[in-house]
Amino acid sequence: MIFANIMQDKEGREKYWSKLFHKYRFVIMTDSSFEEKLSAKLSRLNVIALIGVLVFFCFFSTMLLIAYTPLSEYVPGKSTVEVQKGLIELNIKSDSLKAILLNRSIYIENINKIINGEELVTPDNSEEITNTQTPVSFEKSKEDSLFRLKLEAEDKSSIYKKNKINNNNLMFFTPISGLISDGYNNKTKHFGIDLVAKEKSRVSSVLEGTVVISHWAYETGYVIGVQHKNDYLSFYKHNSVLLKSVGDYVNAGDHIAIIGNSGELSSGPHLHFELWHKGTPVNPENYISF
């Protein structure tokens, strides 16, 4: 009985494979005359192989159409070209905003350090700073000295002086009438000049602008800072009285403080005046005739 079943299974498999390779004639004839137009001999295996080739060709063609034609936009979950461009633009803008915020945070932090007389912060990665500053030359050229002498000869009594370095035609007002006891020195980090004047002399703003700092610090005493146009920032330290508050708008020559001797670093009544441009200290004597 078992042997008979085995033989039947064997015969069934042989019959199946014989059908798979058995040839069939495929004929195309006309309907009226039954004339043979096309004929081909095909087996079931040939038909299966042909169907597989057609399926693969259709699949491959569909992938090419999706990958290299606008039809990809209609695939569920696939973003459009406009959306991708928008994402790229947003990414570029976010990188720019990140760099701008980093610049502003360092700028504000350095302002506080200037007031307190501390060492300035220098960014570790210069590539993240978009508006890098060119180094300022503190050496006077021959042409600069000749122009200075010519200007002073034309009007020695003038308290104004044009900004020759940046060609902004700004007219700086002298903060106070006095003698320079200590000049600007970048090597010793003395980023301003010390002016000695009469007691209770009033300190004036060198340019029009807005008061951004007006408070007392341990080392520099009563300090007031004014933000001017063209990225100029002026500081007036060691005052005895501050006449303006944060947010006040002042014109060039307006009185903003009274000279004093406040702060731990002060050794006598004087004004410590600093002038900064784009976050970099500059020599006030190159801008103002004292």
Side-chain angles (χ1 to χ4, degrees):
M1 185 69 179
I2 297 175
F3 179 76
N5 292 333
I6 293 174
M7 292 301 294
Q8 290 179 359
D9 292 339
K10 185 176 180 180
E11 292 176 359
R13 286 195 297 270
E14 292 178 353
K15 186 177 181 181
Y16 172 77
W17 285 106
S18 63
K19 289 182 178 180
L20 189 63
F21 289 97
H22 184 71
K23 296 289 185 177
Y24 295 90
R25 187 177 181 82
F26 178 76
V27 181
I28 298 178
M29 298 182 300
T30 59
D31 184 55
S32 60
S33 63
F34 298 100
E35 180 183 359
E36 184 177 331
K37 294 295 184 180
L38 180 66
S39 65
K41 291 183 179 180
L42 297 173
S43 65
R44 294 183 180 180
L45 183 62
N46 296 137
V47 174
I48 294 173
L50 181 61
I51 294 174
V53 171
L54 290 176
V55 170
F56 177 78
F57 177 77
C58 293
F59 176 78
F60 186 72
S61 301
T62 304
M63 294 298 294
L64 290 178
L65 289 173
I66 293 176
Y68 297 101
T69 64
L71 292 176
S72 59
E73 298 180 4
Y74 300 97
V75 177
K78 182 73 173 180
S79 59
T80 62
V81 177
E82 289 75 12
V83 172
Q84 292 179 356
K85 290 182 179 179
L87 291 175
I88 294 174
E89 292 178 358
L90 289 176
N91 190 22
I92 295 174
K93 290 181 180 179
S94 63
D95 290 340
S96 301
L97 289 175
K98 181 181 178 181
I100 293 173
L101 290 175
L102 178 61
N103 282 338
R104 291 186 177 179
S105 63
I106 295 176
Y107 178 72
I108 295 173
E109 185 176 358
N110 280 334
I111 289 178
N112 294 327
K113 289 185 178 294
I114 292 169
I115 298 170
N116 298 323
E118 299 176 0
E119 188 174 355
L120 301 182
V121 175
T122 302
D124 294 332
N125 188 1
S126 59
E127 294 181 356
E128 295 181 358
I129 306 301
T130 55
N131 297 325
T132 54
Q133 305 298 331
T134 57
V136 180
S137 176
F138 298 98
E139 297 181 358
K140 296 180 180 179
S141 62
K142 180 179 179 181
E143 292 77 8
D144 181 42
S145 299
L146 293 175
F147 184 81
R148 179 188 291 269
L149 293 175
K150 181 180 179 181
L151 182 64
E152 292 178 353
E154 289 178 354
D155 189 2
K156 294 183 178 180
S157 61
S158 176
I159 58 177
Y160 295 101
K161 184 177 183 181
K162 287 187 177 182
N163 181 0
K164 304 188 292 296
I165 297 179
N166 294 354
N167 294 323
N168 291 324
N169 294 325
L170 296 178
M171 304 299 290
F172 287 84
F173 198 93
T174 305
I176 196 170
S177 297
L179 298 176
I180 299 177
S181 60
D182 192 3
Y184 177 91
N185 194 330
N186 190 37
K187 295 182 179 179
T188 60
K189 296 184 179 181
H190 189 258
F191 298 126
I193 60 173
D194 293 336
L195 293 167
V196 179
K198 295 181 180 179
E199 187 179 358
K200 296 184 180 180
S201 297
R202 295 187 178 184
V203 180
S204 303
S205 175
V206 295
L207 286 173
E208 62 178 353
T210 303
V211 178
V212 293
I213 295 169
S214 180
H215 64 193
W216 184 89
Y218 175 75
E219 294 182 346
T220 54
Y222 288 100
V223 180
I224 187 168
V226 182
Q227 178 70 60
H228 311 289
K229 62 181 179 180
N230 296 336
D231 298 323
Y232 283 98
L233 185 64
S234 59
F235 291 97
Y236 314 79
K237 302 180 180 180
H238 305 301
N239 301 289
S240 60
V241 178
L242 300 178
L243 303 178
K244 299 294 182 179
S245 302
V246 174
D248 291 345
Y249 182 82
V250 295
N251 294 311
D254 286 353
H255 297 150
I256 58 177
I258 297 177
I259 194 172
N261 185 31
S262 60
E264 183 68 20
L265 299 180
S266 179
S267 58
H270 74 287
L271 170 68
H272 178 81
F273 172 72
E274 295 182 6
L275 185 63
W276 293 67
H277 185 223
K278 294 184 177 180
T280 303
V282 295
N283 190 351
E285 293 187 71
N286 292 336
Y287 296 77
I288 305 171
S289 296
F290 293 95

